[in-house]
Amino acid sequence: MIHIFVAFLLVSTSLGPVLSLQSVPDSGHRQLQNCTLNPYKDIQKLRRVQAYLKKINKPASPDGDVIDCVPSHLQPAFDHPQLKGQKPLKPAVRPKGHNLTEAVSESFQLWRDTGESCPKGTVPIRRTTEQDILRASSVRRYGRIRRHVRRDSTGYGHEHAVVFENGDQYYGARASLSVWAPRVTNEYEFSLSQIWIISGSFGNDLNTIEAVVCSCFFQVSPELYGDNYPRFFTYWTSDAYQTTGCYNLLCSGFVQTNNKVAIGAAISPRSSYNGRQFDIGLMVWKDPKHGHWWLEFGPGLLVGYWPAFLFSHLRSHANMVQFGGEIVNTRSSGFHTSTQMGSGHFAEEGFRKAAYFRNLQTVDWDNNLVPLTNIHLKADRANCYDIRQGRNRVWGTYFYYGGPGRNVRCP
């Protein structure tokens, strides 16, 4: 920018004196007076301005995001008529049997790597840009999923490799998920790994809380974020993705209470193939006192809650919990997408190579964490993305999942 400005100044001065408009004393008229620009002086001034702006403005994080520290009571959730004038609630009682001893780096998102943080009484919110909205099909559609949900979940090109349990009343779920950066073929597809808390039928009254680290767990979505970083996200709906709900804090719904976690921000570090593995604990549970659904991320970081009034069926309990991966296959080139799920490798490759969920648990009616007892596995297209489940004393119930998408067995 400085070089362009210098070129402009040189051209201007080469034309001789510059005309400017100035007021003439004691006159209601204006006259033209001569003045000459000083390139060196103006460049020095520009540099001082840039240095000042760099000092007072927080820099974008390494992922290009700008994080705003917003007073808690002014976050989008409190635009909702039933929340206006209120403040975030105090933390809920965690389920019994929850272990807070797992260690994780305090800096697990890229924006924190620069040393930035938000003060108490505020929440960090990823700034939405014009470019973010313009990538969506419309302003109304920005930050929302619109699809008809079927039990096999393959409608509208959505494909899954999941473990699920139903047949009981569920008040939450917990697991630790490995973090990867799967490759996404085009901006209209995504790849995510998450926990679903589901209630209602698979029609217009489906209620879901999706909590992946990126629903709530990690998601790579070029359309939503403009890049290929894995990001921590949330999603909710109370009518099967028709008109209600949204990602992250893009509508009135989720109430954030934490000043260290930015929903929608990039996750760091990540696992590497045949190298270091990095996973993060994730838990969603229903507060026995107020009935709200709380989200915990990492070792005891309470991110916030979904107020109970957002839902119909979930006001009482969930009737299904689901863990695993999901991708969108647009078949934009006429064949199956090469968008990866998890690490981009099949479950059979195992530790350090395939993505995993470990220590799967649900929350019962008495706010206890309990193991899964009625497990089902589902891979919509096992030749493209598959899943394998196991159990041991250290990882409890676990599974590996994922795949590369298009290959010789997945045309």
Side-chain angles (χ1 to χ4, degrees):
M1 182 174 180
I2 291 178
H3 297 305
I4 298 173
F5 188 57
V6 171
F8 172 75
L9 291 177
L10 291 177
V11 172
S12 300
T13 53
S14 68
L15 296 177
V18 178
L19 298 177
S20 64
L21 289 175
Q22 293 186 348
S23 297
V24 179
D26 303 321
S27 172
H29 302 284
R30 291 176 177 268
Q31 71 176 15
L32 296 176
Q33 293 187 343
N34 293 335
C35 70
T36 303
L37 295 176
N38 185 328
Y40 178 78
K41 183 178 180 180
D42 288 319
I43 290 173
Q44 290 300 108
K45 181 179 180 181
L46 177 61
R47 286 174 175 166
R48 288 196 298 271
V49 169
Q50 290 176 332
Y52 177 70
L53 290 175
K54 186 177 180 180
K55 180 180 179 181
I56 65 173
N57 289 336
K58 291 183 180 294
S61 66
D63 56 5
D65 288 344
V66 174
I67 305 297
D68 295 312
C69 298
V70 178
S72 297
H73 66 285
L74 296 180
Q75 63 181 289
F78 293 104
D79 292 335
H80 196 287
Q82 294 193 49
L83 290 175
K84 278 188 176 296
Q86 299 184 32
K87 294 182 179 181
L89 296 175
K90 293 182 179 180
V93 176
R94 291 177 175 83
K96 289 166 276 188
H98 183 35
N99 185 356
L100 295 177
T101 61
E102 290 187 26
V104 68
S105 170
E106 186 71 13
S107 178
F108 48 80
Q109 290 189 304
L110 285 177
W111 74 281
R112 296 293 309 281
D113 287 349
T114 62
E116 300 292 337
S117 62
C118 285
K120 291 183 178 181
T122 69
V123 294
I125 298 180
R126 177 183 180 270
R127 183 180 298 178
T128 300
T129 67
E130 292 180 4
Q131 290 77 14
D132 289 335
I133 299 174
L134 290 173
R135 284 192 300 271
S137 58
S138 68
V139 174
R140 185 178 63 85
R141 287 283 301 111
Y142 175 67
R144 287 179 165 83
I145 297 173
R146 186 177 181 85
R147 68 185 185 204
H148 174 69
V149 181
R150 293 164 36 183
R151 178 62 200 94
D152 62 7
S153 301
T154 57
Y156 286 77
H158 290 252
E159 299 177 13
H160 298 69
V162 297
V163 161
F164 67 93
E165 180 173 292
N166 56 9
D168 202 346
Q169 296 181 357
Y170 304 97
Y171 297 82
R174 184 193 181 280
S176 292
L177 302 71
S178 59
V179 181
W180 294 83
R183 184 183 67 249
V184 174
T185 299
N186 66 62
E187 65 176 302
Y188 302 108
E189 298 182 348
F190 65 65
S191 179
L192 59 80
S193 300
Q194 67 183 25
I195 297 174
W196 289 260
I197 307 292
I198 302 172
S199 188
S201 62
F202 284 83
N204 292 334
D205 64 344
L206 180 73
N207 289 196
T208 73
I209 291 173
E210 298 184 1
V212 351
V213 236
C214 180
S215 153
C216 296
F217 192 58
F218 74 82
Q219 177 189 45
V220 174
S221 176
E223 180 182 18
L224 187 60
Y225 305 108
D227 57 39
N228 287 288
Y229 287 108
R231 293 172 176 272
F232 173 58
F233 80 96
T234 64
Y235 199 96
W236 69 274
T237 179
S238 61
D239 62 356
Y241 304 94
Q242 299 304 303
T243 61
T244 64
C246 64
Y247 281 110
N248 308 332
L249 303 180
L250 297 178
C251 66
S252 298
F254 187 82
V255 179
Q256 183 161 341
T257 60
N258 192 288
N259 66 337
K260 297 179 180 179
V261 179
I263 302 174
I267 304 170
S268 176
R270 303 146 200 168
S271 301
S272 59
Y273 185 78
N274 213 21
R276 178 173 179 258
Q277 303 300 290
F278 178 74
D279 63 35
I280 300 178
L282 189 70
M283 182 169 68
V284 179
W285 82 101
K286 192 173 188 292
D287 173 17
K289 183 176 181 180
H290 298 287
H292 306 313
W293 291 87
W294 282 80
L295 168 64
E296 181 184 281
F297 180 63
L301 292 176
L302 289 181
V303 183
Y305 58 93
W306 291 271
F309 66 75
L310 294 174
F311 308 104
S312 50
H313 300 290
L314 278 174
R315 290 191 187 188
S316 174
H317 58 268
N319 56 27
M320 177 186 292
V321 293
Q322 185 169 277
F323 311 78
E326 176 184 358
I327 64 96
V328 169
N329 173 27
T330 61
R331 299 185 66 88
S332 58
S333 300
F335 41 75
H336 195 283
T337 182
S338 295
T339 286
Q340 299 174 336
M341 180 188 293
S343 69
H345 293 262
F346 287 113
E348 64 186 18
E349 295 193 40
F351 188 61
R352 291 194 171 190
K353 297 177 181 179
Y356 63 82
F357 280 59
R358 63 177 176 87
N359 299 111
L360 276 62
Q361 296 173 294
T362 61
V363 180
D364 69 9
W365 66 273
D366 197 28
N367 205 33
N368 294 297
L369 278 168
V370 297
L372 279 68
T373 58
N374 185 29
I375 298 175
H376 305 274
L377 275 66
K378 177 70 176 179
D380 294 329
R381 295 180 183 273
N383 289 334
C384 308
Y385 315 100
D386 67 355
I387 185 167
R388 290 192 178 187
Q389 179 253 331
R391 181 175 179 80
N392 62 39
R393 294 181 62 182
V394 178
W395 277 19
T397 299
Y398 68 88
F399 63 87
Y400 292 101
Y401 70 103
R406 186 170 186 255
N407 62 80
V408 293
R409 296 183 298 142
C410 175

